[in-house]
Structures are given as structure tokens and as C-alpha cells.
């Protein structure tokens, strides 16, 4: 049977996947955002993950926001976001909405594969019932499911979707084989077929939880070493000379993965009657870093005898990581909000972030060009390439704080 693929959700995960499948199979990229579809049809990807030439090279790929255009597909791959709500509880509404959309066009023999990060059991316990209810079909009799967690690293042009080993799984042995074979057609790094969907779901959610906990440990060390008057990065450089030392660095932990996924695992653990301690402690510590950075800058301003009230602080970078435009769950906003409590005026400069998106999501104005005027403090929050050659230097009238430790040490007052 010829593979006809429908990709549901065309963000950082779905679009690169759709482009690769579209080079080999009839593929339809579906997204409810009509503006996104219009841009993609014009060869523009505002996430900057796929360039125009690569979009055009996907000769079997089409884009739509009409679910009737995916009726002919026999493989559906769901790549919608799985955020948390204001109480850090998993928000499955996008995932269930995508399942409902697929349910309207689901046919006998179809396979639905989920890539969105979830806790173990979501595919079969939450999504499958929606598919059954809307379609009127029976799971593992009329249609089948798989889970293959995304491993996209936004802004990384080296570790692209085809070059990262892919976990696959299916609801039956035959389905698992079909799902694995499908991904093998585009994933040059190879695949790992997990024994069950729940195992694949669990594997994904612990990947980022592990990184979150490791970074939390380093962030705690940064707080300790600051108290002791020791430079954290110099300590890490020395410790890193041992062959098995894990080379994590302190920093802000945001984004749609590391800053979110641990809450999914914690939620499932609590539902099962276990109260996770290390996972949630790591989250709390990492979530405190924006406030900590702002407090250190305020202390440095006062130490230099600079007037604090209405002081202007230039913040370099607003995205959740360097060299990408993604502002989802950025923790730079915590620095902004904390500085305001001290009557310090934050001025954000980020040449990569979408100013309109930032205004809508966070309610603040940012600059896409370097702002004019004098600043009593400068915080390098995100290591965009554009910031490497800026004429940044500490003085008696300006505090410079380097969160990412990329500036020469003699040009900064302190670094995380």
C-alpha cells in the first residue's frame, strides 16, 4: 500500500518532518493557522527551521487548513504543542483537538502516529477514545496507533530531523513494524523500535527531565559559588577535565521542552500515588533563576553607587535559546518582571524574536534594532551570534552581567 501522509501541526516539529516526507511520499501539511499556511505556500517559514530552497525541494508536499484535504491519507502524524497551564498542569487541548480533526477523516486501516511530548498512557488512554468516538471505528481492529517522540532542537542546523536517531512504536507488532519502516525512509541516523507505546512515551518525557535536573544542580552550584565568591564557570572548566564529568552550564531553562516536560511526568506520577521530589525540586530551582539574576544586577548597581530608581537596563535577547526566534516559555520574562519590582526600566533588544508575538504573549515591547540612549546596566541573557561583537564593556556608570559567560571576563562585572 502506498504511503499517503498527513502531518497535523506545522511548527518547529511538524514542518521539518513534512518537508522530509514530502520528498518521498504524497504528503499534506495541515495547520489550523491560516496565516501560517499562506506563508508556507509562499515559501516562507517564520520559525527559520526550513529555508525556502528546502521547502521547494519537497515536491510531493502540499499545505492546507481544511481537514477535507487530508481525507485521502492513510498515515496521520500529530505534531501539535503540549504545553502546561498556569498551574503547570498538562494542557492536552491541542492534542485532543488534533485527534478530533483526524477522527473526522479516519478510515479502516489508517495509522495515527503521535509525536507530541506526553506522559505515559496519553496516546492510548486519552487520544484513542477521541479517535474512536468521532470516527465510529474500533482501535486495533479498524485503525491503529503509534508513538514516535520528536527530537527537534530549534536553531540547530547540524542535528536536524533526519540526523537524530528516532524512537518508534506501535499499538500492535505489525503496526510497530510499519511505523518503524516509514520513519526509516527519511531518518538517516536510524531508528529504535520500543516494545510499546507507553515505553516510547516515557523515554521521551525523561530525556528532558534528566537535562532539567542536571541543569538545576549546576544552577544551585552557581548560587553557592556566588555566595562563596568563586566563579562558577572557572570551577566547571576545572572539573570538566575529568573524562566522565557531565558538562552542563548554569542558565535560564525555558522553552517548550525542558521547561515543560518534567511537569508531564510529575503529573502522571502523582496520579499513580507517588510524589516526585527531585523532578519538582529541579523545576522550582530552575524557575527561580530569572529572579536571582535580576537581584544580582540590582545589587551590583547599588554597589557602584548608581541611582537605582528609573535606571535603564538593556537586556540582550528574549528568545528561550540562542540563534532561534522561539519565545515560547522564555524565562527572560522573569528577569524583566523582577527588575520592574525595583523600579528599574528593562529595555529588551532581540533581533530574532517577533515583536508582535512577544507583545501578544507577554504584554511587553521589545526592540528588533539596537536601542539608543545610555544604560545603567546590561544583561546578556541569550547568546545570539549578533551579540558577540557588540561594544559591551563595564564602567563606573554601567553594570554588565553575562548570563551565558560568552563575553571576556575583564569586560563584565559578573557572570552566572
Amino acid at each position: 500500500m502506498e504511503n499517503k501522509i498527513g502531518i497535523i501541526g506545522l511548527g518547529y516539529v511538524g514542518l521539518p518532518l513534512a518537508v522530509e516526507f514530502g520528498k518521498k511520499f504524497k504528503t499534506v501539511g495541515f495547520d489550523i493557522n491560516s496565516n501560517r499556511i499562506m506563508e508556507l505556500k509562499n515559501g516562507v517559514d517564520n520559525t527559520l527551521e526550513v529555508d525556502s530552497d528546502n521547502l521547494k525541494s519537497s515536491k510531493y508536499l502540499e499545505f492546507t487548513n481544511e481537514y477535507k484535504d487530508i481525507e485521502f491519507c492513510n498515515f496521520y502524524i500529530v505534531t501539535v504543542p503540549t504545553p502546561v497551564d498556569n498551574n503547570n498542569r498538562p494542557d492536552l487541548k491541542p492534542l485532543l483537538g488534533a485527534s478530533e480533526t483526524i477522527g473526522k477523516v479516519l478510515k479502516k486501516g489508517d495509522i495515527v502516529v503521535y509525536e507530541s511530548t506526553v506522559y505515559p498512557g496519553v496516546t492510548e488512554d486519552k487520544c484513542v477514545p477521541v479517535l474512536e468516538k468521532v470516527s465510529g471505528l474500533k482501535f486495533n481492529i479498524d485503525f491503529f496507533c503509534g508513538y514516535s517522540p520528536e527530537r527537534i532542537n530549534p536553531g540547530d542546523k547540524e542535528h536536524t530531523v533526519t540526523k537524530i536517531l528516532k524512537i518508534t512504536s506501535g499499538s500492535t507488532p505489525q503496526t510497530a513494524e510499519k511505523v518503524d519502516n516509514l520513519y526509516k525512509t527519511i531518518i538517516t541516523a536510524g531508528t529504535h523500535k520500543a516494545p510499546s507505546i507507553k515505553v516510547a512515551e516515557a523515554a521521551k518525557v525523561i530525556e528532558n527531565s534528566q537535562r532539567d535536573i542536571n541543569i538545576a544542580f549546576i544552577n544551585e552550584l552557581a548560587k553557592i559559588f556566588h555566595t562563596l565568591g568563586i566563579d562558577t564557570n572557572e570551577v566547571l572548566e576545572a572539573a570538566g577535565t575529568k573524562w566522565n564529568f557531565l558538562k552542563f552550564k548554569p542558565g535560564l531553562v525555558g522553552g517548550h521542552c525542558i521547561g515543560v516536560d518534567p511537569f508531564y511526568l510529575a503529573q502522571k506520577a502523582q496520579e499513580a500515588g507517588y510524589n516526585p521530589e527531585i523532578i519538582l525540586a529541579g523545576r522550582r530551582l530552575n524557575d527561580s533563576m530569572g529572579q536571582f539574576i535580576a537581584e544580582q544586577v540590582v545589587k551590583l548597581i547599588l554597589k557602584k553607587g548608581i541611582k537605582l530608581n528609573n535606571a535603564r537596563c538593556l537586556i540582550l535577547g528574549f528568545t528561550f535559546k540562542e540563534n532561534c526566534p522561539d519565545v515560547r516559555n522564555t524565562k527572560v520574562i522573569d528577569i524583566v518582571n523582577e527588575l520592574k519590582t525595583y523600579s528599574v526600566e528593562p529595555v529588551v533588544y532581540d533581533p530574532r524574536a517577533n515583536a508582535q508575538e512577544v507583545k501578544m504573549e507577554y504584554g511587553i515591547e521589545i526592540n528588533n534594532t539596537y536601542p539608543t540612549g545610555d544604560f545603567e546596566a546590561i544583561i546578556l541573557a541569550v547568546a545570539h551570534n549578533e551579540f558577540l561583537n557588540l561594544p559591551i564593556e563595564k564602567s563606573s556608570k554601567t553594570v554588565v552581567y553575562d548570563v551565558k559567560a560568552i563575553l571576556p571576563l575583564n569586560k563584565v562585572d559578573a557572570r552566572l
Side-chain angles (χ1 to χ4, degrees):
M1 181 175 64
E2 181 184 357
N3 294 321
K4 300 170 185 176
I5 302 167
I7 307 291
I8 315 301
L10 296 173
Y12 287 84
V13 176
L15 181 62
L17 198 67
V19 167
E20 293 304 324
F21 276 126
K23 294 175 182 178
K24 295 178 179 293
F25 308 108
K26 177 67 176 175
T27 303
V28 179
F30 174 91
D31 199 290
I32 59 175
N33 187 334
S34 58
N35 289 332
R36 174 72 166 158
I37 295 300
M38 187 179 303
E39 289 176 348
L40 292 175
K41 285 183 176 181
N42 290 326
V44 177
D45 170 29
N46 60 27
T47 71
L48 306 181
E49 290 300 300
V50 181
D51 59 36
S52 181
D53 290 341
N54 208 12
L55 270 175
K56 293 174 183 176
S57 70
S58 194
K59 58 182 178 179
Y60 303 118
L61 174 61
E62 298 177 0
F63 299 110
T64 185
N65 62 335
E66 299 286 342
Y67 73 84
K68 61 180 177 59
D69 293 333
I70 59 174
E71 288 179 332
F72 70 92
C73 298
N74 50 28
F75 257 103
Y76 295 96
I77 300 178
V78 179
T79 58
V80 298
T82 43
V84 292
D85 63 20
N86 292 333
N87 296 313
N88 291 323
R89 296 178 64 86
D91 180 4
L92 298 178
K93 288 194 290 291
L95 196 63
L96 299 180
S99 300
E100 188 172 339
T101 295
I102 294 172
K104 295 175 183 177
V105 297
L106 199 62
K107 307 172 298 299
K108 287 189 175 183
D110 288 353
I111 295 175
V112 184
V113 181
Y114 291 87
E115 288 213 2
S116 307
T117 302
V118 294
Y119 56 77
V122 166
T123 299
E124 291 157 300
D125 300 339
K126 301 291 185 180
C127 298
V128 165
V130 174
L131 293 172
E132 286 186 318
K133 180 180 179 180
V134 177
S135 70
L137 301 176
K138 291 297 181 183
F139 178 51
N140 279 344
I141 297 175
D142 299 319
F143 72 92
F144 307 87
C145 284
Y147 184 79
S148 181
E150 58 90 358
R151 280 178 167 170
I152 294 294
N153 189 25
D156 188 338
K157 302 307 179 184
E158 180 181 352
H159 301 97
T160 53
V161 63
T162 63
K163 298 175 184 176
I164 303 174
L165 195 143
K166 201 87 163 71
I167 297 173
T168 65
S169 64
S171 55
T172 68
Q174 295 80 9
T175 304
E177 190 69 17
K178 289 179 180 179
V179 172
D180 194 63
N181 287 336
L182 178 67
Y183 280 102
K184 279 180 178 176
T185 63
I186 65 166
I187 306 297
T188 57
T191 61
H192 172 86
K193 188 164 60 176
S196 70
I197 286 176
K198 285 186 174 66
V199 167
E201 290 170 328
K204 169 57 183 176
V205 80
I206 71 165
E207 287 177 17
N208 288 323
S209 297
Q210 182 188 66
R211 284 186 57 78
D212 194 41
I213 291 167
N214 278 313
I215 297 171
F217 172 59
I218 300 300
N219 276 336
E220 185 161 60
L221 292 179
K223 290 184 174 184
I224 293 171
F225 293 143
H226 171 79
T227 303
L228 299 177
I230 303 172
D231 187 284
T232 304
N233 287 276
E234 291 178 347
V235 175
L236 294 176
E237 185 178 352
T241 59
K242 189 180 180 186
W243 78 92
N244 61 350
F245 184 81
L246 301 178
K247 297 184 179 182
F248 289 90
K249 288 191 172 184
L252 299 168
V253 186
H256 62 293
C257 288
I258 300 178
V260 171
D261 295 356
F263 289 121
Y264 274 75
L265 185 56
Q267 167 78 10
K268 188 61 178 178
Q270 288 166 337
E271 287 179 0
Y274 180 81
N275 185 42
E277 298 182 34
I278 295 176
I279 293 172
L280 292 179
R283 275 284 75 235
R284 285 193 296 271
L285 199 143
N286 283 340
D287 279 346
S288 74
M289 295 308 292
Q291 179 182 354
F292 174 78
I293 291 165
E295 288 173 350
Q296 298 313 304
V297 171
V298 166
K299 290 177 181 177
L300 288 168
I301 291 173
L302 294 172
K303 188 175 180 180
K304 284 194 174 185
I306 301 171
K307 183 181 177 183
L308 184 64
N309 194 37
N310 296 323
R312 297 177 80 219
C313 178
L314 175 62
I315 299 176
L316 299 174
F318 192 78
T319 61
F320 91 88
K321 65 174 294 189
E322 65 276 4
N323 300 323
C324 83
D326 195 347
V327 298
R328 289 177 294 174
N329 193 33
T330 177
K331 294 304 177 183
V332 180
I333 190 63
D334 295 343
I335 299 177
V336 171
N337 291 336
E338 187 65 19
L339 287 174
K340 288 179 179 178
T341 68
Y342 290 95
S343 298
V344 173
E345 179 191 349
V347 180
V348 181
Y349 165 51
D350 194 314
R352 294 177 180 257
N354 184 306
Q356 185 177 355
E357 183 182 352
V358 172
K359 177 67 175 177
M360 186 180 302
E361 182 71 21
Y362 298 99
I364 67 168
E365 305 281 352
I366 70 165
N367 301 275
N368 289 134
T369 57
Y370 196 87
T372 58
D374 296 325
F375 299 97
E376 282 70 36
I378 299 173
I379 301 175
L380 193 150
V382 184
H384 289 325
N385 289 340
E386 290 90 338
F387 300 155
L388 298 179
N389 296 315
L390 289 178
I392 302 170
E393 196 160 349
K394 66 181 180 180
S395 72
S396 60
K397 297 181 180 180
T398 305
V399 167
V400 177
Y401 191 97
D402 186 3
V403 174
K404 302 299 291 185
I406 63 170
L407 300 174
L409 193 54
N410 65 341
K411 293 190 174 185
V412 304
D413 290 278
R415 58 187 186 181
L416 186 59

